[in-house]
Amino acid sequence: MKIVIIGLGTIGKTILKNLSGEGHTITIIDEEKSKVEKLIEKHDVFGIVGNGACFDIQKEANMKDADLAIVLTESDELNIFACLVAKKLGVKNTIARVRNPDYRNQILEMKDYLGIAMIVNPEREMANEIFNIINLPSVVQIEHFARGRVSLVEILAEKGCSLIGETLISLGKKLHTKILICAVQRGDEVIIPTGDFIIQEGDRIHFTSEARALGDFLSEADLVKSPLKNVMIVGGNRIGYYLAESLSRKKYKVKLIENDPERAEELAELLPDVTVICGNGTQHDILIEEGIEAIDAFVALTDIDEENMIVSMFANKKKVKKAITQIKNDDLYGMLDELGINNNVSPKHIVAGRIISYIRALANSVGSNVLTMYQLVNDQVEALEFSAKREEYFYNKPLRELNIKKNCLIACIIRKNEIIIPNGNSEIRLGDNVVVVTTHKNFDDLNDVFE
């Protein structure tokens, strides 16, 4: 596909990094010359220095021949206008970052008129991710395939977890609910496990299950935790606002600490059901005074990663049931597990993942068979949903008889209204959707999974 990326901030660079090895023709546009030059050299893409909303700049980028324009500058207005220009020039699809909550409803209403195929709001996406973590306290992360019918879930094997010490074979015999463990992160190592793999304390386990059976599995494996009712949020930025709003609507008791007096006053007016405190939420005395020891969930959302890490460690020290930490710098991820920071979220990875998933689905109409894609374990693993839409030699044969590539796992088969968590006797048939988990990159067809 021919893709134009306008705006090379953290999200733009993350998307470029993920797309650059997939065979797309990519043009990047940014007003900062050094940034463009550096990324051209690093990723072997075309680059233009200039205002991405400018008609002449977009013409120079051959926007009329592009399949997709992704507009991610810091300005909502510029992003919307750039999409209008791109559509006027003939681009087939556009994605725009629109962050201002004041624009949300009208943009959704006018999306088709403006020619925008997808709107992304990093702060709202991140707030939704955190909300899901709080709402399902046993789960670290959850994604969905097959229009929500299949769940891809991450859990942590903490001390006392009934899965510890079990092999995948023994678990299969013990559990009545069908799941498939498809990837495990153990320290820095990523494992696509086989039947004799033994689960250890501290493992981060990714598994697939039928969405409606997820609760049954969590209950059967003694992973159901008591609900989190009292939530403390440090940082009244847009993420903090969206999260506090969502939680308060679901009747959570929310305390939001914001350092800036003017912003704190504004939040107090916007969030009448939230207790807004004006103070420095990274200070020991403030956290103690505001009752961190009685809190169920703690969310660190300051703009400084190191501050978020320190206050999250303090929350863990005070036995808070779940501490959730915003981390923007990828270089810090390697030390998080050792520091006990188990629930971390990153706006750029969440939004980049959504956009890349959309691109994979778009590519499906021009040759790729990928319907949905998620990246796991700090982008080391991909979970892909393929459409089995052409006759292939590996159809109607038991999986145990097929040569599946190393570090690939058939995680789920969706056949009309049936969800199949596969075993060695399961078969892929024409018309199925197939979920594959792999450490290989750039698969775009189900054929890629087999030797």
Side-chain angles (χ1 to χ4, degrees), residues 32 48 80 142 185 195 219 227 243 267 291 308 321 349 410 433:
E32 193 173 321
I48 297 170
I80 295 165
I142 185 166
Q185 181 184 3
S219 177
L243 178 60
L267 289 167
N308 292 335
K321 292 176 185 174
H349 288 298
I410 308 295
N433 285 0

Side-chain angles (χ1 to χ4, degrees), residues 298-424:
F298 179 87
V299 187
L301 296 174
T302 79
D303 291 327
I304 301 172
D305 287 351
E306 291 79 6
E307 286 187 355
N308 292 335
M309 291 167 69
I310 290 168
V311 293
S312 295
M313 289 164 65
F314 182 65
N316 287 334
K317 184 83 172 173
K318 293 298 176 183
K319 307 297 183 186
V320 172
K321 292 176 185 174
K322 182 154 285 196
I324 301 164
T325 315
Q326 175 178 250
I327 300 291
K328 298 177 182 178
N329 184 353
D330 290 348
D331 294 337
L332 296 173
Y333 277 95
M335 63 179 73
L336 297 181
D337 283 344
E338 290 187 42
L339 295 173
I341 300 172
N342 296 318
N343 296 282
N344 52 80
V345 283
S346 162
K348 68 178 180 183
H349 288 298
I350 291 167
V351 173
R354 270 205 68 203
I355 291 174
I356 292 163
S357 221
Y358 175 87
I359 292 168
R360 291 291 185 93
L362 189 62
N364 181 51
S365 63
V366 290
S368 170
N369 285 338
V370 179
L371 300 174
T372 315
M373 187 274 290
Y374 296 110
Q375 293 178 316
L376 316 172
V377 196
N378 301 329
D379 300 341
Q380 295 178 70
V381 176
E382 288 189 353
L384 307 116
E385 181 182 359
F386 291 101
S387 172
K389 61 185 183 182
R390 297 187 304 267
E391 280 289 358
E392 300 286 359
Y393 73 91
F394 48 81
Y395 290 175
N396 305 311
K397 294 181 180 178
L399 294 179
R400 57 183 159 74
E401 294 181 7
L402 300 173
N403 291 322
I404 298 172
K405 286 180 181 174
K406 188 178 179 182
N407 291 325
C408 285
L409 187 71
I410 308 295
C412 185
I413 299 170
I414 302 102
R415 182 170 299 146
K416 294 182 180 178
N417 294 322
E418 185 181 7
I419 306 297
I420 301 166
I421 304 298
N423 56 35

Side-chain angles (χ1 to χ4, degrees), residues 80-305:
I80 295 165
F81 186 69
C83 286
L84 282 169
V85 172
K87 289 300 288 186
K88 180 70 176 175
L89 283 169
V91 72
K92 296 178 181 67
N93 300 277
T94 64
I95 296 173
R97 176 164 80 170
V98 180
R99 304 165 69 192
N100 191 330
D102 294 339
Y103 293 155
R104 175 175 166 75
N105 291 332
Q106 63 202 67
I107 290 294
L108 290 174
E109 289 286 332
M110 299 171 66
K111 205 167 77 159
D112 294 337
Y113 173 76
L114 293 169
I116 301 173
M118 179 183 183
I119 292 168
V120 290
N121 181 333
E123 290 81 7
R124 184 174 284 278
E125 296 289 340
M126 177 122 148
N128 290 343
E129 181 87 2
I130 297 169
F131 177 85
N132 288 334
I133 293 171
I134 292 171
N135 208 36
L136 278 169
S138 308
V139 169
V140 176
Q141 188 175 7
I142 185 166
E143 308 287 2
H144 298 288
F145 294 101
R147 298 180 181 178
R149 291 185 296 150
V150 177
S151 295
L152 174 62
V153 183
E154 179 186 349
I155 58 173
L156 177 65
E158 298 176 286
K159 186 176 181 180
C161 172
S162 63
L163 305 182
I164 295 169
E166 298 283 356
T167 66
L168 302 200
I169 292 173
S170 66
L171 270 180
K173 292 176 180 176
K174 280 186 175 183
L175 297 173
H176 296 97
T177 311
K178 290 200 74 174
I179 67 153
L180 185 65
I181 294 176
C182 44
V184 176
Q185 181 184 3
R186 180 172 291 167
D188 294 331
E189 187 181 7
V190 179
I191 303 158
I192 305 293
T194 55
D196 57 359
F197 177 85
I198 301 173
I199 296 170
Q200 295 181 7
E201 182 181 337
D203 285 349
R204 300 176 82 94
I205 301 166
H206 299 261
F207 66 89
T208 51
S209 82
E210 191 171 357
R212 63 186 180 184
L214 175 58
D216 293 337
F217 165 71
L218 294 175
S219 177
E220 194 177 352
D222 296 323
L223 290 168
V224 175
K225 296 182 179 178
S226 57
L228 308 177
K229 297 177 182 177
N230 300 306
V231 183
M232 179 181 286
I233 303 168
V234 174
N237 50 26
R238 283 185 176 138
I239 303 168
Y241 163 73
Y242 285 131
L243 178 60
E245 180 191 43
S246 298
L247 290 168
S248 63
R249 274 194 277 108
K250 292 295 183 180
K251 306 303 179 185
Y252 285 87
K253 189 175 179 182
V254 183
K255 187 171 285 189
L256 174 58
I257 304 176
E258 166 56 37
N259 198 32
D260 179 75
E262 191 174 328
R263 177 61 174 166
E265 189 173 335
E266 180 185 10
L267 289 167
E269 291 179 10
L270 291 169
L271 301 166
D273 297 322
V274 173
T275 303
V276 179
I277 307 297
C278 183
N280 185 345
T282 65
Q283 287 184 351
H284 171 274
D285 291 349
I286 291 282
L287 293 172
I288 294 295
E289 186 179 325
E290 296 305 330
I292 191 171
E293 292 165 297
I295 289 295
D296 298 316
F298 179 87
V299 187
L301 296 174
T302 79
D303 291 327
I304 301 172
D305 287 351

Side-chain angles (χ1 to χ4, degrees), residues 54-65:
C54 177
F55 193 86
D56 291 337
I57 293 291
Q58 289 201 18
K59 279 182 72 176
E60 188 181 345
N62 292 317
M63 189 67 82
K64 66 182 177 64
D65 296 324

Side-chain angles (χ1 to χ4, degrees), residues 5 8 12-13 16-17 20 26-30 32-50 60:
I5 302 174
L8 300 170
K13 286 189 282 190
L16 177 60
K17 177 183 173 183
S20 60
I26 300 174
T27 301
I28 57 175
I29 302 174
D30 197 276
E32 193 173 321
K33 184 179 179 181
S34 61
K35 190 181 291 185
V36 173
E37 289 176 343
K38 184 178 178 180
L39 291 171
I40 289 172
E41 185 178 339
K42 186 174 182 180
H43 296 292
D44 191 27
V45 294
F46 301 102
I48 297 170
V49 178
E60 188 181 345

